[in-house]
Amino acid sequence: MKFNYRFSNLLGTVYRCGNLNFTPDGNSVISPVGNRVTIFDLKNNKSETLPLATKYNIKCVGLSPDGCFAIIIDEEGAALLVSLVCKSVLHHFHFNGSVHCVSFSPDGRRFVVAKDNLAQMYYAPGKKREFNAFVLDKTYFGPYDETTFVDWTDDSKCFVIGSKDMTTWVFGAERWDNLIYYSLGGHKDAIVACFFEAASLDLYTLSQDGALCVWQCDTELDDLKLKAPKGWQADVLQKDKEEEDNDDDEDIEKENNTIHGKTIPDDEKKNDKVRYSLVAKYFFNKEGDFNNLTSAAYHKKIHLLVTGFASGIFHLHELPEFNLIHSLSISDQKIASISINSTGDWIAFGCPGLGQLLVWEWQSESYVLKQQGHFNSMVSLAYSPDGQYIVTGGIDGKVKVWNTLSGFCFVTFTEHTSGVTAVTFTSTGYVIVSASLDGTVRAFDLHRYRNFRTFTSPRPTQFSCVAVDCGEIVTAGSQDSFEIFIWSMQTGRLLDVLSGHEGPISSLCFNPMKSILASASWDKTVRLWDMFDSWRTKETLNLTSDALAVTFRPDGVELAVATLNSQISFWDHENAVQTGSIECRHDLKVGRKELDKITAKHAAKGKSFTTLCYSADGQCILAGGMSKFVCIYHIKEQILMKKFEISCNYSLDAMEEFLDRRRITEFGNLALIDQDAGDEEGIAISLPGVRKGDMSSRRFKPEIRVTSLHFSPTGRCWAATTTEGLLIFSLDSGLVFDPFELDISITPSSVRATLRQKEFTKAIMMAFRLNEKKLIQEVLESVPSHEIEVVASSLPELYVEKVLEFLASAFEISHHLEFYLIWSQRLLMLHGPKLKLRAGKLLALIQFLQKSIQRHFDDVSKLCDWNRYNIKYALGVSQQQGVKRPLESLGSNEDSDLETESLQLMKEEKEMQI
């Protein structure tokens, strides 16, 4: 059993807060999700979460112009310098205060950080190793309130910042003689955004009340003059000038002091400063207090202004004429962030209220990406039998299905009217069953994406758990009536109601090998029900505390139960004998909430593991609950093997074991004081007598916990639904040297020498003993296709398993689809009977191989359908044009001929696409 699992992806949540960014090529969106960053590749339809995290929720992200670096800043002002090429942290820095905005200059040499009521300009980190990556250049003062926005001119000579004090300030990046700073007013509310026009100092400023001011500058960018140096710098320059020709200096001086033959007076030269004038002022359509402007973005090349409002409406305008191009409502929550890609075709919107991320192509008026996570906690998850999909259920009543390869949600079911408590797949993998607190159990079809069965009880009840046996029998446990309901999937009829428990049903699980149902309850018992014996109670297992979770081992021999006293007990259910138990109280490491009156050590007495999951091989068990840790135990040795920290985000509650004494005052804990209660940006519902904001609204910190765990059938990864979202942990096999029966004579050169002698079987065995992936790939691909069957038949049984495992992983990255399919077919056909004898141990491996082949099958089948359509279309066009073709012969065998032709075309086009 391998334990080198690493965090690989974050699903279930696509946007929380912060600003969105497009990569320089315009094909990917960088979205902050809590304290992590996810990159959505819109061209290849994939998402990837960077393997790094901040201590608090991310507030702003600054992307360098070349797309190689990103500065990620959290709520407390701690910054990470991240390389997007190698996806690693290069430098840590703290700005000692909350940062509102960060922006790189277009030349990539500097970046400006808007913090409190000032702006700080730093030298941007280079691509060489440096002692200090962040070097402060200048600090700019001017606004009296917090700064909100930063924008640069195209040549990086000046930048502008907006402030909540309704002013806009233009600063020079260098010491310009005619522009030190310039303050602009004209607004009656806080500045939301301010933008320079392309290759100009002209400005657009937007305020929260929906006003747009157009400012015209009387100076061009090329007319900015450097300020004359003073002191020792002036002496150095004077010496340099003396070396030059004095006559040339006099001529240049005369030219600078004269215009059209007239000499400029010295007084007029001193007043030659940059000046702004208000050219126009426009107002957006305002509909009550809800339509405050919350975000904006401007594309300088095509003069496109995009504005987002608190009501979820966005407008597209063409500047400077302020012509309305488009207006659309995309949400009923505020739009917090807007970004436009480099070409100006795609616009990204982020709505934190519902966790929405949308990418809109405004010219065709269509969605490029439309993703929304559960806007409340996720409660349960389940893997499909082939490991390709994950289904999640949340308190928001939604059931979502996620593709593990792309990381996107491709279908959402909203039929439930209350929170979903449990979800599961049937054995076919095309039907999802979910239980809810609304008193229904629903079955969803993944072929037609519809709710085709709704199971209800005779009396209204709330269902807490669900289990399915081979897709025919559906069972659900009740919270209030303490009963278990049995339905038929085929007819939808209620077959039986099982009574006997004296407390709420907490968990249900079917034995994967036998038709036995295990039910765990708060009455300190686990009951085993035999489906073939009229659902009679076969055994009753008495526990020492309330049962919270129950699960069977994949081979159905063992049963594991998690109880309220923080124990995991293991049972031989055939003989009703307990085989072992693990005390987990000290492994929980429960944190202390901000408002807890007792310490974390005493609070842990009431906490326990609430979800269990066996590993694919059944040797270990995963446990999670009201803690930030997921523990993996070795069952036979009954010891803790590893602890996985789910999150390091201190924006969540119960993360720290001890409270910060600096937050404890003589009046109590500062957590009781909601300092931002009135800071609702004028968006919340107004109360009578309140100027802005809902004074009754309060913010809360969600508590970190793990609500559900599930191991992938392939054994390569496991998933957990947490407060942070749906976390995927995969095997980290990148830089691991793990030889197998290695000998001193086995080296890469000796393997290649054996390969040159065409001893393919021996070379394969030597390569697997060395266990280097590139070498194994080289050896396998050197075997001629007509000799694969001979080589496969001569492989020992131990190496057959290793070859199959390599093929399953190679399918995901290799281009040689047909070649590896031949290898898989020959191995399974020749060694199938022997492999079947060890089906229990090899189940995860075979499912991993099936998942890889199934993914290619789906892609190829879509390509085949497309080719068939194209061929039929070509035949129809040729028939209309009167071209004589032997259509009769084609028509009689159309299906068979089209399949062969499209298959050949498919192979060629697939290789070209890859």
Side-chain angles (χ1 to χ4, degrees):
M1 178 67 186
K2 298 179 181 179
F3 300 101
N4 52 331
Y5 289 93
R6 296 291 186 271
F7 172 79
S8 63
N9 207 353
L10 172 64
L11 281 68
T13 311
V14 293
Y15 176 75
R16 285 273 179 86
C17 59
N19 61 308
L20 299 171
N21 287 275
F22 272 100
T23 53
D25 59 4
N27 295 328
S28 300
V29 178
I30 300 177
S31 172
V33 184
N35 67 332
R36 298 183 183 271
V37 175
T38 303
I39 301 177
F40 295 92
D41 189 346
L42 306 177
K43 188 175 182 181
N44 299 316
N45 194 34
K46 286 185 179 181
S47 68
E48 179 187 13
T49 303
L50 299 181
L52 51 94
T54 57
K55 284 191 174 182
Y56 294 89
N57 285 335
I58 295 173
K59 193 169 185 180
C60 51
V61 178
L63 189 64
S64 63
D66 57 0
C68 295
F69 300 106
I71 298 176
I72 301 171
I73 307 174
D74 64 15
E75 294 172 344
E76 297 295 317
L80 300 178
L81 175 63
V82 178
S83 170
L84 297 180
V85 179
C86 59
K87 298 178 177 59
S88 59
V89 178
L90 303 179
H91 185 66
H92 292 262
F93 191 80
H94 205 292
F95 289 104
N96 298 320
S98 180
V99 175
H100 309 293
C101 187
V102 58
S103 178
F104 274 87
S105 62
D107 60 6
R109 297 175 58 189
R110 295 183 177 93
F111 67 90
V112 169
V113 170
K115 183 184 74 171
D116 296 331
N117 64 335
L118 52 89
Q120 292 180 331
M121 186 167 64
Y122 290 81
Y123 288 107
K127 297 183 180 180
K128 296 181 180 180
R129 186 173 296 179
E130 298 173 334
F131 177 74
N132 186 9
F134 292 174
V135 179
L136 179 63
D137 183 18
K138 299 182 185 69
T139 300
Y140 298 87
F141 298 91
Y144 292 96
D145 206 340
E146 292 180 354
T147 51
T148 57
F149 199 85
V150 177
D151 189 44
W152 287 82
T153 56
D154 289 342
D155 56 1
S156 306
K157 289 184 177 181
C158 302
F159 65 91
V160 60
I161 61 173
S163 173
K164 287 185 178 180
D165 63 1
M166 301 175 286
T167 61
T168 307
W169 294 76
V170 182
F171 294 103
E174 303 290 346
R175 298 180 65 86
W176 304 116
D177 189 26
N178 49 349
L179 176 61
I180 300 175
Y181 65 88
Y182 201 99
S183 177
L184 301 171
H187 286 282
K188 297 181 180 180
D189 209 338
I191 303 298
V192 174
C194 43
F195 306 101
F196 280 110
E197 186 56 272
S200 173
L201 283 171
D202 295 346
L203 265 176
Y204 301 106
T205 57
L206 297 99
S207 58
Q208 191 173 313
D209 58 356
L212 168 66
C213 291
V214 183
W215 303 89
Q216 187 175 10
C217 183
D218 62 351
T219 307
E220 297 294 333
L221 285 170
D222 296 335
D223 295 335
L224 293 176
K225 304 171 186 176
L226 282 172
K227 196 170 185 179
K230 297 179 180 179
W232 64 270
Q233 295 179 345
D235 297 337
V236 173
L237 289 176
Q238 185 66 27
K239 291 180 181 180
D240 294 339
K241 288 182 180 180
E242 289 176 358
E243 296 176 0
E244 297 177 358
D245 191 9
N246 295 327
D247 296 336
D248 294 339
D249 291 341
E250 291 177 2
D251 294 339
I252 294 172
E253 207 172 311
K254 288 180 181 180
E255 289 178 4
N256 290 334
N257 292 333
T258 58
I259 297 178
H260 301 296
K262 297 181 180 179
T263 304
I264 302 175
D266 292 338
D267 296 338
E268 197 169 327
K269 280 178 62 181
K270 290 180 181 179
N271 295 329
D272 189 18
K273 301 292 185 180
V274 171
R275 294 181 181 179
Y276 278 92
S277 58
L278 182 62
V279 178
K281 191 171 185 179
Y282 303 101
F283 294 92
F284 296 92
N285 293 328
K286 196 170 184 181
E287 299 174 1
D289 294 332
F290 296 100
N291 212 21
N292 291 322
L293 192 145
T294 55
S295 58
Y298 180 63
H299 197 280
K300 299 180 181 180
K301 293 182 180 179
I302 61 175
H303 307 287
L304 179 69
L305 176 67
V306 186
T307 50
F309 295 85
S311 58
I313 298 174
F314 74 90
H315 297 318
L316 272 67
H317 287 86
E318 184 183 7
L319 296 182
E321 293 81 8
F322 199 66
N323 297 326
L324 180 63
I325 300 174
H326 190 66
S327 179
L328 184 69
S329 176
I330 57 174
S331 176
D332 56 357
Q333 300 286 330
K334 75 166 184 176
I335 301 175
S337 179
I338 299 176
S339 181
I340 310 175
N341 71 342
S342 55
T343 60
D345 298 327
W346 294 347
I347 306 170
F349 300 95
C351 303
L354 297 177
Q356 291 176 315
L357 177 61
L358 308 171
V359 180
W360 174 263
E361 188 174 9
W362 64 276
Q363 291 176 338
S364 63
E365 298 184 6
S366 61
Y367 285 109
V368 178
L369 175 70
K370 188 178 182 181
Q371 290 288 304
Q372 177 180 338
H374 293 276
F375 59 85
N376 214 324
S377 298
M378 283 182 288
V379 176
S380 60
L381 86 151
Y383 267 99
S384 61
D386 58 0
Q388 287 196 78
Y389 308 120
I390 295 178
V391 59
T392 58
I395 299 179
D396 55 2
K398 294 181 180 180
V399 176
K400 290 179 173 288
V401 188
W402 307 83
N403 189 319
T404 56
L405 183 65
S406 66
F408 288 124
C409 172
F410 62 91
V411 62
T412 301
F413 300 105
T414 59
E415 280 77 9
H416 284 295
T417 57
S418 187
V420 177
T421 55
V423 291
T424 186
F425 273 95
T426 60
S427 57
T428 60
Y430 296 109
V431 176
I432 295 170
V433 180
S434 62
S436 173
L437 296 176
D438 62 2
T440 63
V441 174
R442 297 178 183 270
F444 303 98
D445 184 7
L446 286 185
H447 283 302
R448 297 178 179 86
Y449 300 137
R450 62 188 180 95
N451 174 209
F452 70 96
R453 285 281 186 274
T454 301
F455 309 102
T456 56
S457 56
R459 289 173 297 175
T461 184
Q462 292 182 326
F463 295 112
S464 59
C465 49
V466 70
V468 180
D469 176 48
C470 301
E472 297 292 334
I473 300 298
V474 179
T475 63
S478 171
Q479 280 188 348
D480 40 15
S481 64
F482 313 153
E483 295 172 329
I484 302 172
F485 297 88
I486 313 293
W487 295 278
S488 170
M489 178 72 78
Q490 298 294 331
T491 62
R493 293 178 56 189
L494 180 66
L495 300 179
D496 204 348
V497 179
L498 307 182
S499 302
H501 280 294
E502 299 175 359
I505 312 298
S506 57
S507 180
L508 293 175
C509 185
F510 269 104
N511 190 321
M513 298 301 173
K514 298 180 181 179
S515 296
I516 295 176
L517 175 68
S519 60
S521 173
W522 291 7
D523 61 2
K524 302 181 182 180
T525 62
V526 172
R527 291 178 179 264
L528 302 176
W529 313 83
D530 193 348
M531 185 176 69
F532 290 147
D533 192 13
S534 302
W535 294 105
R536 292 181 181 177
T537 305
K538 185 179 178 182
E539 294 288 351
T540 300
L541 309 179
N542 294 311
L543 307 171
T544 58
S545 185
D546 298 357
L548 302 179
V550 63
T551 182
F552 277 99
R553 205 164 71 181
D555 58 4
V557 176
E558 191 177 67
L559 181 73
V561 184
T563 53
L564 190 60
N565 58 355
S566 302
Q567 284 188 353
I568 302 175
S569 56
F570 303 95
W571 296 78
D572 178 8
H573 62 88
E574 290 289 343
N575 303 315
V577 176
Q578 184 174 348
T579 58
S581 66
I582 301 175
E583 179 65 40
C584 312
R585 188 182 306 278
H586 300 292
D587 300 328
L588 274 170
K589 290 287 184 183
V590 178
R592 182 174 179 177
K593 296 182 184 179
E594 288 186 340
L595 304 180
D596 278 352
K597 302 297 183 182
I598 58 176
T599 62
K601 184 178 180 180
H602 288 85
K605 295 180 180 179
K607 305 296 176 65
S608 59
F609 287 126
T610 57
T611 176
L612 297 175
C613 176
Y614 273 96
S615 61
D617 57 2
Q619 295 182 12
C620 300
I621 192 166
L622 280 169
M626 304 176 73
S627 169
K628 65 177 180 178
F629 292 105
V630 170
C631 301
I632 184 166
Y633 295 94
H634 195 280
I635 298 172
K636 187 177 180 181
E637 303 294 337
Q638 296 184 4
I639 58 174
L640 175 67
M641 300 299 296
K642 191 171 183 179
K643 291 175 72 172
F644 300 93
E645 188 176 9
I646 293 300
S647 176
C648 60
N649 188 1
Y650 287 91
S651 295
L652 303 175
D653 206 358
M655 285 293 296
E656 296 182 274
E657 188 175 356
F658 302 100
L659 289 183
D660 189 355
R661 297 297 178 186
R662 290 173 296 182
R663 295 183 60 83
I664 306 298
T665 65
E666 57 181 330
F667 306 105
N669 195 340
L670 288 179
L672 292 169
I673 304 173
D674 194 358
Q675 298 177 353
D676 300 326
D679 186 16
E680 296 291 340
E681 298 180 0
I683 295 167
I685 301 174
S686 299
L687 295 177
V690 178
R691 179 172 172 265
K692 68 175 184 177
D694 181 4
M695 291 308 213
S696 65
S697 66
R698 291 294 180 265
R699 300 182 181 182
F700 70 97
K701 294 175 69 173
E703 181 183 354
I704 181 69
R705 64 175 56 195
V706 180
T707 53
S708 183
L709 289 170
H710 208 285
F711 232 101
S712 171
T714 63
R716 305 285 300 179
C717 56
W718 56 271
T721 53
T722 67
T723 313
E724 285 278 84
L726 175 59
L727 305 179
I728 309 293
F729 286 77
S730 301
L731 276 175
D732 183 17
S733 57
L735 299 174
V736 178
F737 178 64
D738 186 17
F740 170 72
E741 295 182 359
L742 188 60
D743 193 0
I744 194 172
S745 61
I746 299 177
T747 61
S749 58
S750 63
V751 173
R752 293 187 176 93
T754 307
L755 195 61
R756 285 193 294 270
Q757 296 174 5
K758 296 187 178 181
E759 298 180 10
F760 299 115
T761 305
K762 185 179 178 181
I764 291 173
M765 294 171 61
M766 292 173 65
F768 274 101
R769 290 175 68 179
L770 196 59
N771 205 9
E772 288 188 3
K773 282 195 170 183
K774 292 185 177 179
L775 186 62
I776 295 172
Q777 182 179 357
E778 180 184 346
V779 172
L780 283 178
E781 293 179 358
S782 300
V783 179
S785 58
H786 61 275
E787 294 188 18
I788 291 178
E789 186 170 359
V790 178
V791 175
S793 62
S794 60
L795 280 175
E797 185 178 348
L798 184 61
Y799 288 92
V800 171
E801 179 182 343
K802 292 185 173 296
V803 173
L804 286 174
E805 185 178 0
F806 173 80
L807 291 174
S809 59
F811 270 118
E812 297 183 349
I813 56 175
S814 178
H815 300 172
H816 307 292
L817 178 59
E818 185 180 3
F819 182 77
Y820 283 130
L821 282 174
I822 295 173
W823 262 108
S824 304
Q825 184 188 22
R826 296 293 185 267
L827 288 171
L828 293 175
M829 292 295 292
L830 295 170
H831 300 275
K834 294 181 180 179
L835 295 174
K836 194 173 182 180
L837 298 176
R838 299 189 297 124
K841 294 183 178 180
L842 298 179
L843 181 61
L845 171 62
I846 299 301
Q847 287 178 332
F848 182 34
L849 182 64
Q850 179 191 358
K851 174 189 174 183
S852 303
I853 296 176
Q854 182 68 33
R855 181 173 63 85
H856 284 291
F857 174 76
D858 294 340
D859 295 341
V860 169
S861 60
K862 290 179 182 177
L863 192 59
C864 285
D865 293 339
W866 178 249
N867 289 336
R868 288 173 60 87
Y869 171 78
N870 287 337
I871 293 173
K872 288 182 178 180
Y873 177 75
L875 291 174
V877 171
S878 62
Q879 188 176 9
Q880 285 185 355
Q881 292 178 353
V883 179
K884 292 183 179 180
R885 295 174 60 91
L887 295 178
E888 292 82 4
S889 59
L890 284 173
S892 59
N893 299 319
E894 181 179 357
D895 290 338
S896 60
D897 292 346
L898 285 175
E899 285 181 5
T900 55
E901 291 180 20
S902 60
L903 187 60
Q904 187 64 27
L905 286 171
M906 172 271 300
K907 291 179 181 178
E908 297 175 2
E909 293 185 13
K910 187 65 179 178
E911 292 183 358
M912 291 175 65
Q913 286 184 359
I914 294 175

